[in-house]
Amino acid sequence: MIPLRHSLRRRSLPLANWALIALCTAGFAWELRAGSGLDALIEEWGLVPARVVTLAGRGALYPPEFWAPFVSSTFLHAGALHYLSNMLFLWIFGGGVEDRMGHLGYPAFYLAGGFAAGLVHVAANPDSVIPTIGASGAIAAVMGAFFVLYPRAWVVSIIPPLFWLQFQIPALLYLAIWFALQVYMGTLAMAAEPGEAGVAWWAHAGGFAFGLVVISLLGRERAR
C-alpha cells in the first residue's frame, strides 16, 4: 500500500521536515555527481556494522568515525526509487509529528530515531561489511510517533497496479501492518547468507519501536 496523504490538518508549516527532505535531496544529488567515486563515497559515509562493532570492541565510542556514519548514512540513498519512496513517507507522516514536537524537538527526535535504528541494524548484522544507507530507520521512528500521536487519523492509499483506486484505512491499522511486515521480513532475512545485501528490515522495526516507545513515555500531551 502506497500512502498518498492523511486526514489531519496541520497547525503550522513543517519547516523542519522540509529541511530534512532538502538535506536528503542534497545527499542524493551528491551521490549522483560522484560518478565512479560513488562506491567509495558510500563506503566512507555509510553505516558498516562490522566497522562499528570493531570500534566498539576497542572502546572507541567517541571518535567521529564511530558515531558519524549513524547520521551521514540517513541522508544517502541507494537509487532514485529508494530516495523517492522514503521522501514520500517522510512528507506524509513527518509534518504531523513536527506539529506536536515542535520545530526543534522534531529534528532532534528524527536524528535520535535514525541512531537507534542504526544500532538495531548493527546488533542484527554485527559481521556485515556492507554499507547501509537510507533514511528509512529515522522515518520509521516518525511513523512510530505518528502511531501514538494520531490514533484517529486516516491514511489515503493506493495498491499498485490499481493506481486509480484510492481508499482510506485507519492510520493505526496501516502502520501496524507496516510494522508487522518489517518484523516478518526481518525474520526471513535472518535465514539469508551472512553478508548478503538486502533491505535493513530490523532497522525499520527498531526505528518504529523507538518512536512508539519515546512518544508513549513522553505522553501525547507532553509531545505538543
Side-chain angles (χ1 to χ4, degrees), residues 198-211:
V199 178
W201 301 109
W202 288 114
H204 300 172
F208 188 94
F210 172 87

mmCIF file with all atom_site columns, all heavy atoms in Angstrom, residues 198-211:
data_model
loop_
_atom_site.group_PDB
_atom_site.id
_atom_site.type_symbol
_atom_site.label_atom_id
_atom_site.label_alt_id
_atom_site.label_comp_id
_atom_site.label_asym_id
_atom_site.label_entity_id
_atom_site.label_seq_id
_atom_site.pdbx_PDB_ins_code
_atom_site.Cartn_x
_atom_site.Cartn_y
_atom_site.Cartn_z
_atom_site.occupancy
_atom_site.B_iso_or_equiv
_atom_site.pdbx_formal_charge
_atom_site.auth_seq_id
_atom_site.auth_comp_id
_atom_site.auth_asym_id
_atom_site.auth_atom_id
_atom_site.pdbx_PDB_model_num
ATOM 1   N N   . GLY A 1 198 ? 20.751 -6.541 1.270  1.00 0.00 ? 198 GLY A N   1
ATOM 2   C CA  . GLY A 1 198 ? 19.296 -6.558 1.293  1.00 0.00 ? 198 GLY A CA  1
ATOM 3   C C   . GLY A 1 198 ? 18.766 -5.354 2.037  1.00 0.00 ? 198 GLY A C   1
ATOM 4   O O   . GLY A 1 198 ? 19.496 -4.440 2.407  1.00 0.00 ? 198 GLY A O   1
ATOM 5   N N   . VAL A 1 199 ? 17.459 -5.369 2.270  1.00 0.00 ? 199 VAL A N   1
ATOM 6   C CA  . VAL A 1 199 ? 16.797 -4.281 2.982  1.00 0.00 ? 199 VAL A CA  1
ATOM 7   C C   . VAL A 1 199 ? 17.074 -4.410 4.479  1.00 0.00 ? 199 VAL A C   1
ATOM 8   O O   . VAL A 1 199 ? 17.083 -5.508 5.023  1.00 0.00 ? 199 VAL A O   1
ATOM 9   C CB  . VAL A 1 199 ? 15.281 -4.320 2.709  1.00 0.00 ? 199 VAL A CB  1
ATOM 10  C CG1 . VAL A 1 199 ? 14.562 -3.232 3.487  1.00 0.00 ? 199 VAL A CG1 1
ATOM 11  C CG2 . VAL A 1 199 ? 15.009 -4.182 1.219  1.00 0.00 ? 199 VAL A CG2 1
ATOM 12  N N   . ALA A 1 200 ? 17.290 -3.277 5.131  1.00 0.00 ? 200 ALA A N   1
ATOM 13  C CA  . ALA A 1 200 ? 17.573 -3.277 6.576  1.00 0.00 ? 200 ALA A CA  1
ATOM 14  C C   . ALA A 1 200 ? 16.252 -3.340 7.349  1.00 0.00 ? 200 ALA A C   1
ATOM 15  O O   . ALA A 1 200 ? 15.848 -2.370 7.997  1.00 0.00 ? 200 ALA A O   1
ATOM 16  C CB  . ALA A 1 200 ? 18.372 -2.039 6.953  1.00 0.00 ? 200 ALA A CB  1
ATOM 17  N N   . TRP A 1 201 ? 15.610 -4.502 7.301  1.00 0.00 ? 201 TRP A N   1
ATOM 18  C CA  . TRP A 1 201 ? 14.287 -4.654 7.910  1.00 0.00 ? 201 TRP A CA  1
ATOM 19  C C   . TRP A 1 201 ? 14.302 -4.363 9.397  1.00 0.00 ? 201 TRP A C   1
ATOM 20  O O   . TRP A 1 201 ? 13.392 -3.722 9.929  1.00 0.00 ? 201 TRP A O   1
ATOM 21  C CB  . TRP A 1 201 ? 13.760 -6.070 7.666  1.00 0.00 ? 201 TRP A CB  1
ATOM 22  C CG  . TRP A 1 201 ? 13.638 -6.443 6.233  1.00 0.00 ? 201 TRP A CG  1
ATOM 23  C CD1 . TRP A 1 201 ? 14.409 -7.324 5.532  1.00 0.00 ? 201 TRP A CD1 1
ATOM 24  C CD2 . TRP A 1 201 ? 12.664 -5.951 5.287  1.00 0.00 ? 201 TRP A CD2 1
ATOM 25  N NE1 . TRP A 1 201 ? 14.003 -7.404 4.226  1.00 0.00 ? 201 TRP A NE1 1
ATOM 26  C CE2 . TRP A 1 201 ? 12.931 -6.574 4.044  1.00 0.00 ? 201 TRP A CE2 1
ATOM 27  C CE3 . TRP A 1 201 ? 11.609 -5.039 5.371  1.00 0.00 ? 201 TRP A CE3 1
ATOM 28  C CZ2 . TRP A 1 201 ? 12.172 -6.331 2.909  1.00 0.00 ? 201 TRP A CZ2 1
ATOM 29  C CZ3 . TRP A 1 201 ? 10.850 -4.788 4.238  1.00 0.00 ? 201 TRP A CZ3 1
ATOM 30  C CH2 . TRP A 1 201 ? 11.136 -5.430 3.028  1.00 0.00 ? 201 TRP A CH2 1
ATOM 31  N N   . TRP A 1 202 ? 15.330 -4.835 10.089 1.00 0.00 ? 202 TRP A N   1
ATOM 32  C CA  . TRP A 1 202 ? 15.370 -4.644 11.542 1.00 0.00 ? 202 TRP A CA  1
ATOM 33  C C   . TRP A 1 202 ? 15.630 -3.196 11.914 1.00 0.00 ? 202 TRP A C   1
ATOM 34  O O   . TRP A 1 202 ? 15.228 -2.739 12.998 1.00 0.00 ? 202 TRP A O   1
ATOM 35  C CB  . TRP A 1 202 ? 16.393 -5.576 12.180 1.00 0.00 ? 202 TRP A CB  1
ATOM 36  C CG  . TRP A 1 202 ? 15.929 -6.995 12.182 1.00 0.00 ? 202 TRP A CG  1
ATOM 37  C CD1 . TRP A 1 202 ? 16.470 -8.043 11.487 1.00 0.00 ? 202 TRP A CD1 1
ATOM 38  C CD2 . TRP A 1 202 ? 14.793 -7.524 12.886 1.00 0.00 ? 202 TRP A CD2 1
ATOM 39  N NE1 . TRP A 1 202 ? 15.748 -9.196 11.720 1.00 0.00 ? 202 TRP A NE1 1
ATOM 40  C CE2 . TRP A 1 202 ? 14.714 -8.906 12.568 1.00 0.00 ? 202 TRP A CE2 1
ATOM 41  C CE3 . TRP A 1 202 ? 13.836 -6.979 13.736 1.00 0.00 ? 202 TRP A CE3 1
ATOM 42  C CZ2 . TRP A 1 202 ? 13.723 -9.737 13.091 1.00 0.00 ? 202 TRP A CZ2 1
ATOM 43  C CZ3 . TRP A 1 202 ? 12.837 -7.798 14.250 1.00 0.00 ? 202 TRP A CZ3 1
ATOM 44  C CH2 . TRP A 1 202 ? 12.788 -9.159 13.927 1.00 0.00 ? 202 TRP A CH2 1
ATOM 45  N N   . ALA A 1 203 ? 16.294 -2.448 11.049 1.00 0.00 ? 203 ALA A N   1
ATOM 46  C CA  . ALA A 1 203 ? 16.448 -1.014 11.284 1.00 0.00 ? 203 ALA A CA  1
ATOM 47  C C   . ALA A 1 203 ? 15.079 -0.336 11.235 1.00 0.00 ? 203 ALA A C   1
ATOM 48  O O   . ALA A 1 203 ? 14.776 0.547  12.043 1.00 0.00 ? 203 ALA A O   1
ATOM 49  C CB  . ALA A 1 203 ? 17.377 -0.395 10.244 1.00 0.00 ? 203 ALA A CB  1
ATOM 50  N N   . HIS A 1 204 ? 14.244 -0.756 10.285 1.00 0.00 ? 204 HIS A N   1
ATOM 51  C CA  . HIS A 1 204 ? 12.887 -0.211 10.195 1.00 0.00 ? 204 HIS A CA  1
ATOM 52  C C   . HIS A 1 204 ? 12.096 -0.532 11.457 1.00 0.00 ? 204 HIS A C   1
ATOM 53  O O   . HIS A 1 204 ? 11.468 0.352  12.064 1.00 0.00 ? 204 HIS A O   1
ATOM 54  C CB  . HIS A 1 204 ? 12.156 -0.798 8.987  1.00 0.00 ? 204 HIS A CB  1
ATOM 55  C CG  . HIS A 1 204 ? 12.819 -0.518 7.679  1.00 0.00 ? 204 HIS A CG  1
ATOM 56  N ND1 . HIS A 1 204 ? 12.405 -1.083 6.496  1.00 0.00 ? 204 HIS A ND1 1
ATOM 57  C CD2 . HIS A 1 204 ? 13.885 0.263  7.368  1.00 0.00 ? 204 HIS A CD2 1
ATOM 58  C CE1 . HIS A 1 204 ? 13.170 -0.662 5.516  1.00 0.00 ? 204 HIS A CE1 1
ATOM 59  N NE2 . HIS A 1 204 ? 14.074 0.163  6.015  1.00 0.00 ? 204 HIS A NE2 1
ATOM 60  N N   . ALA A 1 205 ? 12.125 -1.800 11.849 1.00 0.00 ? 205 ALA A N   1
ATOM 61  C CA  . ALA A 1 205 ? 11.379 -2.224 13.031 1.00 0.00 ? 205 ALA A CA  1
ATOM 62  C C   . ALA A 1 205 ? 11.901 -1.528 14.287 1.00 0.00 ? 205 ALA A C   1
ATOM 63  O O   . ALA A 1 205 ? 11.122 -1.083 15.143 1.00 0.00 ? 205 ALA A O   1
ATOM 64  C CB  . ALA A 1 205 ? 11.465 -3.741 13.184 1.00 0.00 ? 205 ALA A CB  1
ATOM 65  N N   . GLY A 1 206 ? 13.217 -1.423 14.397 1.00 0.00 ? 206 GLY A N   1
ATOM 66  C CA  . GLY A 1 206 ? 13.805 -0.773 15.558 1.00 0.00 ? 206 GLY A CA  1
ATOM 67  C C   . GLY A 1 206 ? 13.478 0.705  15.622 1.00 0.00 ? 206 GLY A C   1
ATOM 68  O O   . GLY A 1 206 ? 13.190 1.241  16.700 1.00 0.00 ? 206 GLY A O   1
ATOM 69  N N   . GLY A 1 207 ? 13.514 1.370  14.475 1.00 0.00 ? 207 GLY A N   1
ATOM 70  C CA  . GLY A 1 207 ? 13.161 2.782  14.447 1.00 0.00 ? 207 GLY A CA  1
ATOM 71  C C   . GLY A 1 207 ? 11.712 3.009  14.837 1.00 0.00 ? 207 GLY A C   1
ATOM 72  O O   . GLY A 1 207 ? 11.398 3.919  15.618 1.00 0.00 ? 207 GLY A O   1
ATOM 73  N N   . PHE A 1 208 ? 10.819 2.178  14.317 1.00 0.00 ? 208 PHE A N   1
ATOM 74  C CA  . PHE A 1 208 ? 9.393  2.305  14.644 1.00 0.00 ? 208 PHE A CA  1
ATOM 75  C C   . PHE A 1 208 ? 9.178  2.099  16.141 1.00 0.00 ? 208 PHE A C   1
ATOM 76  O O   . PHE A 1 208 ? 8.454  2.871  16.788 1.00 0.00 ? 208 PHE A O   1
ATOM 77  C CB  . PHE A 1 208 ? 8.593  1.269  13.853 1.00 0.00 ? 208 PHE A CB  1
ATOM 78  C CG  . PHE A 1 208 ? 7.100  1.424  13.970 1.00 0.00 ? 208 PHE A CG  1
ATOM 79  C CD1 . PHE A 1 208 ? 6.384  2.144  13.025 1.00 0.00 ? 208 PHE A CD1 1
ATOM 80  C CD2 . PHE A 1 208 ? 6.403  0.843  15.019 1.00 0.00 ? 208 PHE A CD2 1
ATOM 81  C CE1 . PHE A 1 208 ? 5.008  2.283  13.125 1.00 0.00 ? 208 PHE A CE1 1
ATOM 82  C CE2 . PHE A 1 208 ? 5.027  0.980  15.133 1.00 0.00 ? 208 PHE A CE2 1
ATOM 83  C CZ  . PHE A 1 208 ? 4.329  1.703  14.183 1.00 0.00 ? 208 PHE A CZ  1
ATOM 84  N N   . ALA A 1 209 ? 9.811  1.069  16.699 1.00 0.00 ? 209 ALA A N   1
ATOM 85  C CA  . ALA A 1 209 ? 9.672  0.790  18.127 1.00 0.00 ? 209 ALA A CA  1
ATOM 86  C C   . ALA A 1 209 ? 10.209 1.953  18.960 1.00 0.00 ? 209 ALA A C   1
ATOM 87  O O   . ALA A 1 209 ? 9.629  2.322  19.988 1.00 0.00 ? 209 ALA A O   1
ATOM 88  C CB  . ALA A 1 209 ? 10.397 -0.504 18.483 1.00 0.00 ? 209 ALA A CB  1
ATOM 89  N N   . PHE A 1 210 ? 11.323 2.537  18.513 1.00 0.00 ? 210 PHE A N   1
ATOM 90  C CA  . PHE A 1 210 ? 11.882 3.692  19.213 1.00 0.00 ? 210 PHE A CA  1
ATOM 91  C C   . PHE A 1 210 ? 10.878 4.836  19.260 1.00 0.00 ? 210 PHE A C   1
ATOM 92  O O   . PHE A 1 210 ? 10.635 5.429  20.318 1.00 0.00 ? 210 PHE A O   1
ATOM 93  C CB  . PHE A 1 210 ? 13.168 4.152  18.517 1.00 0.00 ? 210 PHE A CB  1
ATOM 94  C CG  . PHE A 1 210 ? 13.725 5.446  19.048 1.00 0.00 ? 210 PHE A CG  1
ATOM 95  C CD1 . PHE A 1 210 ? 14.581 5.445  20.137 1.00 0.00 ? 210 PHE A CD1 1
ATOM 96  C CD2 . PHE A 1 210 ? 13.404 6.659  18.448 1.00 0.00 ? 210 PHE A CD2 1
ATOM 97  C CE1 . PHE A 1 210 ? 15.099 6.649  20.629 1.00 0.00 ? 210 PHE A CE1 1
ATOM 98  C CE2 . PHE A 1 210 ? 13.908 7.861  18.940 1.00 0.00 ? 210 PHE A CE2 1
ATOM 99  C CZ  . PHE A 1 210 ? 14.759 7.848  20.031 1.00 0.00 ? 210 PHE A CZ  1
ATOM 100 N N   . GLY A 1 211 ? 10.306 5.172  18.105 1.00 0.00 ? 211 GLY A N   1
ATOM 101 C CA  . GLY A 1 211 ? 9.342  6.264  18.056 1.00 0.00 ? 211 GLY A CA  1
ATOM 102 C C   . GLY A 1 211 ? 8.125  5.996  18.914 1.00 0.00 ? 211 GLY A C   1
ATOM 103 O O   . GLY A 1 211 ? 7.655  6.878  19.644 1.00 0.00 ? 211 GLY A O   1
#
